[in-house]
Amino acid sequence: MNDSSGARPVRYVVSACLAGIHSRYNGERKAVNAVLDLIRQGVALPVCPEQLGGLPTPRPPCEIVPGAPGCPARVVNRLGVDQSAEFHCGAQEALRLAQLFGATRAVLKAGSPSCGSGQVYDGTFSGRRVPGDGVLAAVLKAAGIEVLDENDLARELGAGPP
Ligand code: SF4
């Protein structure tokens, strides 16, 4: 895909797990072909903000727990450990890489407490989703980077679900 002038291809930052990189909390690999295509074209940079924040793979799943009124949300793993610092540090490192690469768009994994855009799990580990952004998605949006998920990308390409 080219930008509106047609002079320079649009560059993307993408969730590393969508490229099949060993980064998911459960250690499984799940690549999305349309994301692999962007990387093969040289226009997408894979990053995993949770690994960049120092978390291991595999790791206990995390969710965003809303704060009490006036208090910030926290990111907590299933064992009750607060991992907010790792998530915020990793998101800033991922933003730094995205900006170095010149990314103006992102394709991030839906539902993740880091990468989810528009919907995340509600912090109860019950599988319920609520409106909201993951930590990286929010950081990229605040920096002016357009955030899609893998389903948005498939729709743009006129393909079926990834
Ligand atoms: Fe890493 Fe984001 Fe994929 Fe989670 S969803 S494994 S944080 S790239």
Side-chain angles (χ1 to χ4, degrees):
M1 281 179 238
N2 290 330
D3 66 15
S4 54
S5 71
R8 181 176 184 273
V10 174
R11 289 176 173 240
Y12 293 79
V13 61
V14 298
S15 294
C17 57
L18 295 178
I21 302 301
H22 180 65
S23 54
R24 284 168 55 90
Y25 75 93
N26 60 7
E28 288 179 5
R29 292 179 192 271
K30 251 188 181 177
V32 169
N33 284 332
V35 170
L36 291 174
D37 287 344
L38 292 174
I39 296 168
R40 290 190 188 107
Q41 291 163 29
V43 296
L45 176 71
V47 299
C48 174
E50 293 176 26
Q51 290 184 332
L52 286 167
L55 295 176
T57 302
R59 53 190 173 276
C62 290
E63 294 194 4
I64 296 173
V65 179
C71 299
R74 296 179 305 135
V75 185
V76 176
N77 76 14
R78 191 191 282 280
L79 306 176
V81 178
D82 189 325
Q83 311 235 258
S84 304
E86 289 89 343
F87 271 63
H88 288 285
C89 170
Q92 289 300 327
E93 293 302 303
L95 171 63
R96 188 187 310 263
L97 287 167
Q99 290 176 328
L100 280 171
F101 189 63
T104 56
R105 302 186 94 195
V107 181
L108 302 185
K109 177 81 188 86
S112 153
S114 285
C115 293
S117 175
Q119 271 202 335
V120 290
Y121 291 101
D122 72 354
T124 63
F125 295 92
S126 61
R128 275 196 303 271
R129 292 192 190 203
V130 292
D133 288 329
V135 176
L136 175 61
V139 162
L140 294 182
K141 288 179 182 180
I145 294 175
E146 182 187 3
V147 177
L148 317 176
D149 65 24
E150 67 273 33
N151 304 306
D152 299 324
L153 180 65
R155 275 192 292 274
E156 270 199 7
L157 297 172

